Each structure stands twice: as C-alpha cells, then as structure tokens.
Amino acid sequence: MVDASAAGSPAEPATVPVWDRFVRVFHWSVVAGCAANSFALEGGKLPHEIVGYAVAALVAARLVWGFVGTRHARFVDFVPGPATLAAHLKALLQGREPRTRGHNPAAAVMILALMAVLAVLGVTGWMTTLDAFWGAEWLEETHELLADALQLMVLVHAAAAVLESLRHRENLVLAMITGRKRP
C-alpha cells in the first residue's frame, strides 16, 4: 500500500516503481558474486570459476533485458548520447544536476563500463581454462588487472550512489532493494 500523504498531494503516490525485480536481482547477485570472487574464493579453483560463469551469464541476461525489459531497464531509457552526457557532467560540476527517476547519464556510463569489464573478466577467466592459454602469464595478469579495476569502479559507483542520495535526499541503495523511488 502506498502512502499518498507523504508525497505532498492525495493524487500523487509516495513512491513509484522504477527498477523491476530482474534488475534488482541482477544487481545484488552481481554484487554478491563479485564480492565472493574478490574476497572469499580462491582464483583458479572450481567455486571461483562457477561464480565467474554465473556473473557472466547474468551480464548476458542483463544485456538482453536492456532491449526487451521494462521501461527503466531498457538502454534506450538511460544510455545518454554525448551531448546529454556532457550537459549532465557540466551541471554536476556546477552542483546543479537534475534528479532523475531512473539512472542519470553518468551512472549509465558507469553501468555500461561495469558490464563491459565484467564481460571481459568472464572471457579472460574462461580463456585461462583453455589448453591454448594454459599458464599464459599475460592472460592471468590481464584478468587480475581487470579484477582490480572492477573493484575501483565499484568503489566509485558506490560512493557516487551515496553522494547522489545525499544531494537529492533519496536513498538510492534502498531504491535498488525496493525498486521504488519518489515521483
């Protein structure tokens, strides 16, 4: 049940759906998988590989969902063109970026970059299991470098979510759990 009084007018709901269940499950499953592979599971061992393949499968499914999913899950809804991104970054630097219901242009670029790194991590991880690349140090180093880059990107992503939550007085972490934001 939605508390309409909290939104300021009886006709306006307190929150509206933004991120569907698939997007939220994808997000938190990738978080869990990356945390497990980064901090709990030993690289090169079967559990690490299984989790890596699961994350790669999630990324593949999310790419499909980006074309056929609900409104705010679709890339066309949130992936910006260069001019839109430049205008958003300029407004952000001036402290005047507008609040967005879905992902803002900078977040959209980060999401695409995170998915790209995850995809390449999956490919390089898989390649390390092939006879053709067995023991190839350059490949293992590339995989590790990408894993380190991913951790840095995740820190930036999380910090940006916290800062945007504070600036716009909206708990984005909670929104990624409930799927709802204020209108």
Side-chain angles (χ1 to χ4, degrees):
M1 186 164 198
V2 176
D3 177 14
S5 64
S9 84
E12 186 177 285
T15 62
V16 294
V18 178
W19 292 302
D20 62 53
R21 181 172 287 142
F22 177 84
V23 169
R24 298 187 325 260
V25 168
F26 162 80
H27 179 271
W28 295 112
S29 296
V30 168
V31 168
C34 290
N37 269 0
S38 293
F39 305 115
L41 301 175
E42 187 176 343
K45 301 295 183 189
L46 184 60
H48 180 90
E49 291 177 16
I50 291 170
V51 170
Y53 291 139
V55 169
L58 285 165
V59 170
R62 179 61 182 94
L63 289 174
V64 171
W65 198 244
F67 293 100
V68 301
T70 58
R71 175 182 172 198
H72 293 295
R74 291 184 184 188
F75 297 129
V76 70
D77 183 68
F78 69 88
V79 174
T84 301
L85 178 60
H88 177 79
L89 293 175
K90 180 179 178 183
L92 181 66
L93 291 173
Q94 295 171 343
R96 297 184 301 172
E97 79 282 5
R99 176 188 170 269
T100 57
R101 184 172 291 173
H103 293 296
N104 71 48
V109 171
M110 178 58 88
I111 290 163
L112 295 176
L114 285 165
M115 288 196 307
V117 169
L118 287 168
V120 178
L121 265 168
V123 170
T124 58
W126 168 72
M127 288 173 66
T128 63
T129 68
L130 301 176
D131 289 344
F133 297 103
W134 186 257
E137 284 188 37
W138 70 266
L139 185 58
E140 292 175 15
E141 290 171 2
T142 300
H143 189 73
E144 290 174 15
L145 180 67
L146 288 167
D148 291 343
L150 180 67
Q151 289 178 5
L152 180 61
M153 293 168 70
V154 166
L155 287 174
V156 170
H157 174 67
V162 168
L163 289 173
E164 186 171 345
S165 292
L166 294 171
R167 286 189 49 73
H168 294 287
R169 295 185 176 101
E170 181 164 55
N171 187 336
L172 295 178
V173 175
L174 180 62
M176 190 50 77
I177 293 169
T178 65
R180 302 183 71 85
K181 292 176 76 175
R182 62 184 160 82

